[in-house]
Amino acid sequence: MGKISKYFKEAVARAVNYNQFHADFLRKLPKEFHPAAKLQFVPLLSSDERAVANKIEAFRSQIPKVSDAQKIASYTSPHSGSFKKDAQGHALSGEYVESNVEAHVKTGSPKLKGMLLKRIVEGYGAKRVLELGTNTGFSGSYFIFVNGVELTTIEGSESLCNIADKNMRRISPKYRIMNNLFDEAIDQLIQENAKFDCVFIDGQHEKEATLHYAERVKPLMAANAIYIFDDIYWSDDMNEAWKELVYTKDFSKAVDLFSVGVCVQEENTSGKTALYDLGDYLPRPNIFRKNW
Ligand SMILES: C[S@@+](CC[C@H](N)C(=O)[O-])C[C@H]1O[C@@H](n2cnc3c(N)ncnc32)[C@H](O)[C@@H]1O
């Protein structure tokens, strides 16, 4: 589908389903997710949010200037079905690949995505946020813009950690960057008895890896914590992971917001997960990497 026909289809669906979205979807959806769902239905920022986004986004063009390296390596997302663990039960990461620093200007959440994350955390009232996948610190900056939020974020690439540090320190001092592979950092946080109200899983986009990290972070999560899964329409198997996660017994509620899926960890006494699906009101995104 071309970009124009995609936007056209979405605009028509918005107009046709506008009343139903409000009277039906929002009526059933728990209130804490309304700000995020509204942004996904009508992608417009308030003037205050535009000011926040402008402040955060001003760093993007600075990345080549503040970087201490010309080439920066990051861990790529592995192909479907390639997941393996080592003898310790740690996930093997995707390939570590170098690219020019300029290529990293565009990586990291853009403003609408960042604001969506901000609205989820703010709406839910989460204060202790854990992130798997720091990159250049854009999602992190949107998280720590929320009053009272403390972020712990994990990134395997040292050069990316340095850039993210310069990015996020402009916003708030309430963050900790761990330069480790995800499993190593999770081990350390478990030893420290750390607890979080929210985790954003945004690295190693592959079904088994996603299920692995969702399981690994469990001892770190407080009662009623939320899990935000990024890119649930990135590949067929990321979408399978999402469908599998929705119906695990640990989650009582799940919200499909297309670019992310959010699950609430509550004792699921009925044994059924309530799924709130934006796909009932807007055209569902195509899988980004078919046959990946
Ligand atoms: C999609 S980017 C994160 C984007 C960032 N959360 C944002 O929205 O601005 C994923 C990051 O995770 C890192 N990564 C992937 N697999 C990893 C692993 N197993 N351990 C540590 N870092 C990893 C990559 O180097 C990459 O920078």
Side-chain angles (χ1 to χ4, degrees):
M1 196 186 346
K3 255 194 177 167
I4 296 182
S5 95
K6 177 178 171 281
Y7 288 137
F8 182 69
K9 269 193 164 178
E10 279 175 13
V12 171
R14 240 170 237 130
V16 171
N17 295 329
Y18 186 85
N19 288 339
Q20 241 199 327
F21 171 78
H22 285 85
D24 183 22
F25 188 66
L26 290 187
R27 189 177 54 79
K28 291 184 199 143
L29 183 70
K31 282 230 162 7
E32 50 272 28
F33 297 115
H34 284 202
K38 284 180 184 168
L39 184 63
Q40 288 302 79
F41 192 73
V42 180
L44 288 177
L45 302 182
S46 68
S47 58
D48 284 354
E49 287 177 324
R50 280 199 300 276
V52 171
N54 287 344
K55 181 174 164 83
I56 293 174
E57 294 300 321
F59 186 79
R60 226 176 260 278
S61 59
Q62 302 300 308
I63 289 177
K65 283 185 216 151
V66 302
S67 173
D68 46 19
Q70 277 310 301
K71 294 237 177 221
I72 292 183
S74 66
Y75 289 93
T76 55
S77 273
H79 283 273
S80 305
S82 63
F83 182 72
K84 286 194 177 69
K85 289 188 204 173
D86 65 15
Q88 268 180 289
H90 284 181
L92 298 185
S93 60
E95 266 185 279
Y96 197 49
V97 174
E98 270 195 340
S99 48
N100 287 331
V101 61
E102 285 76 18
H104 292 270
V105 170
K106 284 196 192 136
T107 63
S109 288
K111 68 176 170 190
L112 270 178
K113 175 72 169 284
M115 206 50 78
L116 175 70
L117 296 170
K118 180 172 178 287
R119 283 196 188 191
I120 293 170
V121 162
E122 210 161 24
Y124 199 73
K127 294 295 179 212
R128 298 163 296 177
V129 177
L130 173 65
E131 176 177 63
L132 273 58
T134 316
N135 199 256
T136 49
F138 279 96
S139 47
S141 295
Y142 284 92
F143 285 133
I144 58 176
F145 216 104
V146 179
N147 234 341
V149 162
E150 293 186 5
L151 173 73
T152 298
T153 179
I154 312 169
E155 172 59 57
S157 160
E158 189 181 358
S159 300
L160 285 175
C161 289
N162 292 337
I163 295 176
D165 184 32
K166 290 175 182 149
N167 190 359
M168 293 194 288
R169 77 165 75 129
R170 300 172 311 130
I171 309 298
S172 155
K174 294 188 171 174
Y175 64 89
R176 167 187 185 187
I177 303 175
M178 299 177 79
N179 181 200
N180 297 101
L181 289 175
F182 295 151
D183 274 312
E184 291 168 1
I186 292 167
D187 283 346
Q188 190 178 327
L189 290 167
I190 291 173
Q191 273 195 0
E192 291 173 13
N193 253 326
K195 285 284 171 218
F196 299 95
D197 314 305
C198 169
V199 61
F200 178 41
I201 301 186
D202 186 18
Q204 214 166 326
H205 290 335
E206 193 269 344
K207 177 181 175 180
E208 296 304 328
T210 303
L211 299 176
H212 168 81
Y213 292 121
E215 196 59 35
R216 286 257 29 231
V217 297
K218 257 192 214 163
L220 293 171
M221 305 311 291
N224 304 330
I226 51 169
Y227 290 55
I228 309 175
F229 296 99
D230 194 57
D231 277 334
I232 55 175
Y233 290 88
W234 194 76
S235 62
D236 291 298
D237 87 336
M238 278 300 288
N239 197 243
E240 276 174 31
W242 166 245
K243 286 178 185 151
E244 225 174 282
L245 283 159
V246 164
Y247 295 109
T248 52
K249 60 180 180 350
D250 307 305
F251 298 132
S252 59
K253 297 176 195 119
V255 193
D256 184 335
L257 292 171
F258 292 170
S259 67
V260 297
V262 187
C263 293
V264 182
Q265 177 179 274
E266 278 169 338
E267 207 187 331
N268 193 351
T269 42
S270 72
K272 271 190 173 179
T273 307
L275 173 63
Y276 307 91
D277 186 357
L278 200 60
D280 294 339
Y281 307 86
L282 283 181
R284 208 173 283 288
N286 292 324
I287 297 292
F288 178 62
R289 293 237 154 126
K290 266 283 178 211
N291 306 317
W292 178 247

